[in-house]
Amino acid sequence: MNDIEIFGNTQRGLEFIRETKQKRFSLSLVISYTATSEIPGITIAGEHPELIKFTGPADAEFIHYGYCKSISVIPMTPDGKPTPALLTKSALEAASIPSVAINAGSKVSPKLPFIDMNLDYGKNIKKEPAQNIDQVGKAVEYGRIIGRFLGASTDCLIIGESIPGGTTTALGVLEGFGIKGLVSSSMPHNPTELKIQVVREAIERLGSNDPFEVVAQLGDPMIPTVAGMLSTASEVSKVMLAGGTQMAAVLCFAKSLGFDGKNTAIGTTSYVVEDKSANLIDTISHILDVPILAAKLKLAKSQIAGLRAYSEGFVKEGAGAGGASIACMLKTGIDADGLLHSAESEYVKSLDCD
Amino acid sequence: MNDIEIFGNTQRGLEFIRETKQKRFSLSLVISYTATSEIPGITIAGEHPELIKFTGPADAEFIHYGYCKSISVIPMTPDGKPTPALLTKSALEAASIPSVAINAGSKVSPKLPFIDMNLDYGKNIKKEPAQNIDQVGKAVEYGRIIGRFLGASTDCLIIGESIPGGTTTALGVLEGFGIKGLVSSSMPHNPTELKIQVVREAIERLGSNDPFEVVAQLGDPMIPTVAGMLSTASEVSKVMLAGGTQMAAVLCFAKSLGFDGKNTAIGTTSYVVEDKSANLIDTISHILDVPILAAKLKLAKSQIAGLRAYSEGFVKEGAGAGGASIACMLKTGIDADGLLHSAESEYVKSLDCD
């Protein structure tokens, strides 16, 4: 496993790797929406502002079909940087890892069968509470039910997310819980100032530091859903939280519900870990003693400019890409060169479908 | 496994038992609706006509929570015969078998997270086509996607159904495919004449014997959904179709799509197999060479009149009860006496919750 780096508690990281090597994995992609993403300049997700709401559904569709149904092309920036769902898809395919989409407040339903949490999408936290307390409670309860099912159905449940604007709500929740840590971004010049400004305005509404109030005011529907899933799935299987600082926000909330980090690792890409503006490792260490596994992807070596861009600070992670890459390596023994090859083939295939 | 009887191909039945003993099981309950159920006298499901549409959701909720959320009491006939979901719940619980609900055209959404197929409910086949051909195609396609995921997540996928009025649409599909066989009923005096009359009227609309046309005209959304699930799940795991003649209709349609019976068994209760008016074994034998496993339940011995009623010709099966009972015996070694004990406890618990 030379292409997986361990950060945080090395001992626990090695244990996680040993106990999941060659085992069964499955991936659940939690798609959601926060109207916070509509603040100009806050996210690169979606080629055009009116397409932002299709990001989650399109990621879910891409992972299933290898192309998108809700929009005519793969979610891509104007200059051809594809969604990280492409990395997720190619890694899952190379390792025959099954996946399922979970709709936790997406504004648009994906065009495939999905697990429905029956949640509203999150409001713009700059202007108003993201969601009411009851919805947070329901997301946790429904998350617990589905986490129990999915955890019992695998040896290691990978939980990824796709929610444009989600790093800002993650920052909000982290700040609300008193964790100082900057968040990662899909853009190389992280619009940190803008995000901090949004969170500062939102946090003024905070009436108490009750965990449900924090997530209701500052979060999004993905965070309590994944926290609920984590709490039950980790009782019966390993759980890999696939993502960067958004999963830090999930851990923070889960901890407030009594979760102790059992059977859990963060799975991400080295690009997120290396992101100076985010400092994921430090942030996680202030929350819970869970190991961080990072896939050392070799996208810098790619023939394809859109894939090289990941290594240059764009996109970095999302849609479970890091976790799926790690799982692929753990299950099959494929290395980062093999993953790159699969991703390039998938990229070429996706262009053919246009 | 003294309390599991094998009918049909004994050799294959023994193989199925050997290969699933002590293995992982999971159950998916496909809930659906056909307006055919609104024809007076056709079904006993639901205490009152206006409650029929809650039957599927209430069964799904009962299996998850041990009580129902959409209605205030467990679905029960006026004189206290409970839904077979009670048997399903107690068997799953006794064996720690995870379950998930699939909404394939239920008129009402259940109050729990579920896999959504985004299908319309079926129309009354006495009056009009059940669904259009496109919906049948979509149900198969979505079924295939979800069957692939669920099959890859277990050693044996149990597929149950809850669709009031579904035996009439099953009869329609069987007749449409040229299989003569009467269908089982939730009532001791099977209203066979009424069902045959409904099917006779519906079959007059049939323009061709194209399988999709047959299911569109005479079926319901459950049948193509389960046929799709079966076709992919059986590629990677064992599949137990939990039900009586409704699963015969599924097999019939799946066969027309190229399914050969691989890795599949019917799992039901001895009450269905013994139902003279249905003749399940003979019907199945005319379709595909799949073994039929029947749980020899001992409900006649119960202290509780509502449970004894099953052995007297009421209810008999539904909501995956037979399949879940067999799976519980296979996974844990519990016998029919143990199952009865669990069901009685569950019954008493469910009354406490009222």
Side-chain angles (χ1 to χ4, degrees), chain A residues 200-272:
Chain A
R200 193 169 298 150
E201 288 175 44
I203 227 161
E204 274 174 28
R205 288 191 311 269
L206 206 57
S208 80
N209 57 5
D210 172 71
F212 284 81
E213 165 80 1
V214 169
V215 175
Q217 282 289 351
L218 310 167
D220 57 56
M222 181 280 290
I223 292 171
T225 299
V226 178
M229 290 170 65
L230 171 64
S231 69
T232 47
S234 62
E235 293 290 328
V236 289
S237 69
K238 298 284 174 192
V239 178
M240 200 191 303
L241 294 174
T245 32
Q246 285 166 272
M247 291 304 171
V250 167
L251 273 184
C252 224
F253 180 51
K255 183 187 175 186
S256 78
L257 303 176
F259 176 66
D260 64 359
K262 174 180 171 182
N263 280 331
T264 301
I266 298 276
T268 189
T269 66
S270 44
Y271 309 127
V272 171

Side-chain angles (χ1 to χ4, degrees), chain A residues 24 26-27 64-65 69 98-100 110-117 141-142 145-146 148-150 152-155, chain B residues 24 26-27 64-65 69 98-100 110-117 141-142 145-146 148-150 152-155:
Chain A
R24 292 205 218 202
S26 76
L27 179 134
H64 269 285
Y65 299 112
K69 287 200 158 189
S99 73
V100 67
K111 293 190 172 161
L112 81 178
F114 55 85
I115 297 175
D116 196 6
M117 294 284 151
E141 186 203 337
Y142 278 25
I145 292 173
I146 215 65
R148 201 173 292 126
F149 174 73
L150 293 174
S153 306
T154 189
D155 298 315
Chain B
R24 296 206 216 200
S26 77
L27 178 133
H64 269 285
Y65 300 111
K69 288 200 156 188
S99 72
V100 67
K111 292 189 173 165
L112 82 177
F114 56 84
I115 297 175
D116 195 7
M117 293 283 151
E141 186 204 336
Y142 278 25
I145 292 173
I146 214 66
R148 202 173 291 127
F149 174 73
L150 294 173
S153 306
T154 189
D155 298 315

Side-chain angles (χ1 to χ4, degrees), chain A residues 151-211:
Chain A
S153 306
T154 189
D155 298 315
C156 180
L157 178 65
I158 312 159
I159 310 179
E161 51 67 36
S162 178
I163 168 171
T167 52
T168 302
T169 42
L171 176 63
V173 168
L174 287 169
E175 292 272 337
F177 280 108
I179 305 285
K180 302 290 169 201
L182 300 176
V183 289
S184 192
S185 164
S186 51
M187 291 180 267
H189 304 292
N190 194 338
T192 305
E193 282 308 314
L194 177 58
K195 293 179 181 182
I196 289 174
Q197 183 55 35
V198 168
V199 169
R200 193 169 298 150
E201 288 175 44
I203 227 161
E204 274 174 28
R205 288 191 311 269
L206 206 57
S208 80
N209 57 5
D210 172 71

